[in-house]
Amino acid sequence: MIDPTLLVQMVLGALLGLSVYLPLSGGQLSLATPGFYAIGGYMAALLSTGWPALGGAAPLYPLPSLLLELGLAGALAAAVALAIGGPVLKLRGIYLAIATISLVEILRVLNLNLPFTGGAVGIFAIPQPFSDPAGYLGAALLLLLLVGLLCQRLEGMRFGRAQAAIRDDELAASCMGIDTARVKLTAFVISAVIAALTGVLSAHFLNTWNARQGSFDASITTLAFVVFGGSRSWLGPIAGGLALTAVPELLRPIGDLRLIVYGLVIVVGPVFFPQGLITPELLKGLARWWPWRQREAAP
Amino acid sequence: MQQRPPAEPLLAIEAVSCRFGGLLALDAVSLQVQEGEIFGLIGPNGAGKTTLFNVISGLTPPSGGRVLWRGTPMSRPSPERVNRLGIARTFQNLRLFDSLPVIENVLVGLHHAARQPLAGALLASPAFRRRQAVLRSQAIELLALVDLAELADQTAASLSYGDRRRLEIARALATAPALLLLDEPAAGMNPVEKDDLCALIDRIRAHFALTVLIIEHHVPLMMRLCDRLAVLNFGERIALGTPEQVRHDPAVIEAYLGGQP
Ligand SMILES: Nc1ncnc2c1ncn2[C@@H]1O[C@H](COP(=O)(O)OP(=O)(O)OP(=O)(O)O)[C@@H](O)[C@H]1O
Ligand SMILES: [Mg+2]
């Protein structure tokens, strides 16, 4: 039986995978997810430790205060994404990746040096809204369910179709009357909100939050979730996030060797599954066994 | 033949120039396209025909001159705004959404027709589903028009060359244009397909009350199809008129038709 703590981490990983996936399914290689994840975590940490009404002692605790934190973190992330998305999303391909990694680094340095973020040690003793991992697992699964459903719906809407068109040929998409800048910005903002909400849950779950939570290697790891799981369906990043979060933990018994094995999994995965674990063909095959088939959702 | 042109042209190109470094790809080109006509653009390779399409469709900013749509100058046009005005185009080097099914390519063209209340779309409400079904049948109708309805579920990449050209036309038509820009739609087609294409262009013009601006190297086809023609050579418009006038224009014979009237 897998340890419930690990299950929580896996679900949080799947959420971060979806956050990277959303811009990527529109062809935008944005690696800003850990930055917004950090913003969400700090929001939760600061509010629940700094504002007594939101802390463990108050009658507001835990659900309303958690919802308030989620709302505020989502709003802040959306505002930041809206503000920087315009100029940043003019960049393409690898340049966008570099710019968003820089953004993550800038946020990390800010978080290290701002007067209220606790410097290198960060923020401690974040109140626990749930007494055991099962509570966190429930909350994280609920969020994953909502975000997964959102992604599934978006894919069946004109927004998803516009994203696919931009991914295939942005210039042709704009000549078909699609406001490509707007579609890309929308995906970027939704991605930021998902990351921030995940950060809120994560900060409470980890009990402590510091600048290391949003770093350059997290950009790469979360991208690996999508590459490994598959970037052609929202199920891909979920599978990738679950699997790649579990692998290093399950390999803990073999000590430092696990990092090598983990690296091998990431390198070898795309060799055997160039489209990731979840491919359109696989889904088509599965759809035949799916009893509640939906006409319009089938791609 | 064409009757007396109405007062206001649908599209007016006024002294449009386009410079790429030392190369003057368009040199103060002027022409007017009247509502309802099929207007041809011919000229040797590198004459600037595609560049003119790129200027009209908002992809390449002109270095001089201006483009008027129904008498109004298009200020700072972007491709999506130009399309919203009612100008759709195809590409000389096919630019389909290759990984998407054929029908999805057309549905992308129906992007603006597909606007629906967000809540209904997110919840997959019955109204949303009904509207989706209507859009699909519209897409199928457009595909049937270009003889591709049977291939609706294949990926665009898997189509033959001629089919891809016709799919681009269907996709452009889906955006409900008033003016259709066709950049060498017959390129790579065999003579039978070319004849069919001519018939198709005539058919869609009547069906959608379209104006068509077409680039094509196949001169006999253009002479037959077009109401009027303009001839470009090294970025300059060297002739303009009915096929009959253009055929006998000395400058055209000199520059383009290689001395065969
Ligand atoms: N983006 C660009 N940058 C630099 N030069 C360009 C660009 N686009 C076109 N040109 C040049 O402008 C000239 C006109 O090109 P254009 O594609 O408009 O010709 P065309 O009449 O469409 O020719 P063809 O019949 O071969 O399609 C060519 O010499 C081409 O190399
Ligand atoms: Mg050309």
Side-chain angles (χ1 to χ4, degrees):
Chain A
M1 189 43 210
I2 307 181
D3 160 28
T5 310
L6 175 57
L7 283 177
V8 178
Q9 285 172 337
M10 287 165 63
V11 174
L12 295 175
L15 280 161
L16 292 179
L18 283 174
S19 166
V20 179
Y21 165 75
L22 253 174
L24 197 62
S25 59
Q28 308 306 306
L29 185 54
S30 160
L31 299 177
T33 289
F36 294 109
Y37 175 69
I39 288 181
Y42 275 108
M43 180 64 100
L46 289 169
L47 284 178
S48 59
T49 57
W51 192 8
L54 285 177
L60 271 177
Y61 209 70
L63 259 196
S65 65
L66 195 57
L67 287 178
L68 184 66
E69 284 169 30
L70 288 168
L72 288 175
L76 178 62
V80 174
L82 267 177
I84 61 170
V88 165
L89 290 168
K90 290 214 173 76
L91 301 170
R92 271 156 219 227
I94 197 72
Y95 300 102
L96 175 62
I98 291 169
T100 47
I101 286 178
S102 317
L103 173 76
V104 171
E105 281 300 294
I106 290 169
L107 282 171
R108 190 180 66 86
V109 173
L110 267 182
N111 288 332
L112 268 178
N113 295 296
L114 283 175
F116 50 85
T117 48
V121 285
I123 298 168
F124 275 101
I126 301 171
Q128 302 281 297
F130 307 105
S131 54
D132 59 350
Y136 287 100
L137 187 58
L141 275 175
L142 182 64
L143 186 59
L144 180 62
L145 182 75
L146 290 176
V147 172
L149 278 179
L150 174 72
C151 291
Q152 192 263 345
R153 288 310 307 148
L154 288 177
E155 267 163 45
M157 290 161 51
R158 64 182 207 126
F159 173 80
R161 193 171 287 131
Q163 286 239 90
I166 293 171
R167 182 189 63 209
D168 270 16
D169 191 330
E170 183 169 347
L171 186 149
S174 67
C175 286
M176 292 300 114
I178 292 174
D179 187 343
T180 55
R182 192 190 160 114
V183 171
K184 292 195 283 185
L185 186 61
T186 307
F188 188 64
V189 169
I190 301 176
S191 156
V193 172
I194 297 172
L197 301 185
T198 310
V200 170
L201 289 187
S202 198
H204 285 290
F205 173 65
L206 296 174
N207 203 3
T208 157
W209 199 255
N210 56 49
R212 276 194 308 282
Q213 297 298 337
S215 64
F216 166 69
D217 31 318
S219 289
I220 302 304
T221 316
T222 47
L223 176 63
F225 293 170
V226 186
V227 173
F228 187 80
S231 59
R232 282 308 168 92
S233 151
W234 56 282
L235 290 167
I238 293 184
L242 293 173
L244 288 190
T245 316
V247 165
E249 296 304 318
L250 294 178
L251 291 177
R252 220 171 254 289
I254 63 172
D256 280 348
L257 208 57
R258 76 198 169 100
L259 293 178
I260 297 177
V261 176
Y262 180 62
L264 275 179
V265 168
I266 291 184
V267 171
V268 173
V271 174
F272 288 102
F273 306 98
Q275 296 201 59
L277 292 176
I278 310 285
T279 63
E281 291 73 40
L282 179 73
L283 289 176
K284 240 179 242 162
L286 287 176
R288 257 182 271 132
W289 303 98
W290 184 252
W292 310 279
R293 225 183 304 175
Q294 267 187 355
R295 265 312 281 133
E296 45 100 21
Chain B
M1 271 292 128
Q2 189 69 14
Q3 296 133 14
R4 192 134 275 283
E8 185 150 275
L10 185 65
L11 179 80
I13 315 284
E14 288 186 352
V16 163
S17 297
C18 197
R19 182 178 285 284
F20 297 113
L23 178 89
L24 197 54
L26 289 175
D27 186 0
V29 170
S30 294
L31 54 88
Q32 302 189 337
V33 180
Q34 304 297 339
E35 190 138 19
E37 73 179 333
I38 298 187
F39 191 105
L41 208 52
I42 58 177
N45 289 112
K49 306 179 296 294
T50 299
T51 305
L52 185 60
F53 268 24
N54 289 344
V55 169
I56 297 170
S57 50
L59 291 170
T60 306
S63 15
R66 56 183 197 163
V67 179
L68 284 82
W69 176 249
R70 298 188 197 275
T72 318
M74 299 204 274
S75 57
R76 303 193 135 270
S78 69
E80 62 263 25
R81 257 181 272 159
V82 170
N83 180 273
R84 288 297 77 217
L85 286 175
I87 302 177
R89 69 171 291 176
T90 66
F91 297 89
Q92 181 174 355
N93 313 307
L94 293 160
R95 303 191 72 135
L96 289 167
F97 306 119
D98 275 331
S99 76
L100 302 187
V102 166
I103 187 169
E104 290 285 325
N105 272 267
V106 179
L107 284 165
V108 171
L110 289 166
H111 184 74
H112 283 272
R115 171 158 296 164
Q116 289 191 71
L118 182 63
L122 284 176
L123 299 173
S125 69
F128 172 80
R129 284 157 188 259
R130 274 198 302 277
R131 185 82 187 97
Q132 292 289 97
V134 170
L135 288 167
R136 287 190 88 82
S137 60
Q138 276 177 11
I140 292 283
E141 256 171 55
L142 284 165
L143 285 174
L145 199 66
V146 297
D147 277 334
L148 289 174
E150 280 88 74
L151 304 177
D153 294 323
Q154 304 207 7
T155 57
S158 70
L159 295 190
S160 74
Y161 202 75
D163 287 350
R164 290 160 65 76
R165 290 241 169 251
R166 293 203 312 286
L167 176 54
E168 262 211 340
I169 295 177
R171 182 182 69 170
L173 287 175
T175 68
L179 173 67
L180 182 61
L181 311 178
L182 300 172
D183 196 345
E184 303 200 17
M189 286 188 175
N190 63 38
V192 179
E193 286 179 311
K194 278 185 179 152
D195 278 343
D196 290 350
L197 181 80
C198 267
L200 172 68
I201 293 172
D202 260 334
R203 210 159 60 230
I204 57 178
R205 168 169 70 155
H207 192 285
F208 296 98
L210 271 182
T211 308
V212 179
L213 180 52
I214 174 172
I215 298 173
E216 186 47 61
H217 280 294
H218 191 60
V219 176
L221 182 152
M222 291 292 267
M223 294 287 172
R224 206 173 60 201
L225 186 67
C226 297
D227 299 312
R228 289 193 303 146
L229 287 163
V231 185
L232 288 185
N233 192 29
F234 291 112
E236 268 183 274
R237 197 204 75 198
I238 57 170
L240 176 76
T242 63
E244 210 44 41
Q245 291 165 336
V246 166
R247 198 199 307 267
H248 296 110
D249 192 307
V252 177
I253 296 166
E254 165 82 30
Y256 186 61
L257 298 178
Q260 313 158 10

